[in-house]
Amino acid sequence: MTVGLSIALIATSVLLVMLVLLHRAKGGGLSTLFGGGVSSSLGGSSVVEKNLDRLTVAVALLWVTCIIGLGLLLKS
């Protein structure tokens, strides 16, 4: 069980980093270094931004759930 949660934690961590970097830069942070041109072409649509936000929140909740689950399993 802990191996499965550890793999899920690693996968969601990588996915969460990628999703955060895909967000459109509002102040010139790391997202302008990695794919600034790509995000500007996708950033024109507010529907895409809302869907990206929803997906990021969903993956973040899954990430937190994996952390709590691993903590509870390793504590006992």
Side-chain angles (χ1 to χ4, degrees):
M1 185 77 160
T2 58
V3 174
L5 277 176
S6 297
I7 292 171
L9 182 64
I10 291 169
T12 55
S13 298
V14 170
L15 186 60
L16 192 59
V17 168
M18 290 173 39
L19 287 172
V20 167
L21 289 175
L22 279 176
H23 280 86
R24 185 170 57 170
K26 293 185 175 73
L30 272 180
S31 55
T32 57
L33 293 175
F34 302 107
V38 174
S39 63
S40 64
S41 66
L42 293 176
S45 172
S46 63
V47 174
V48 173
E49 291 175 21
K50 287 181 183 179
N51 288 335
L52 184 61
D53 289 342
R54 290 178 186 148
L55 185 60
T56 305
V57 169
V59 171
L61 289 175
L62 185 62
W63 182 76
V64 169
T65 304
C66 288
I67 289 176
I68 292 172
L70 268 174
L72 290 175
L73 282 175
L74 293 176
K75 186 178 178 181
S76 60

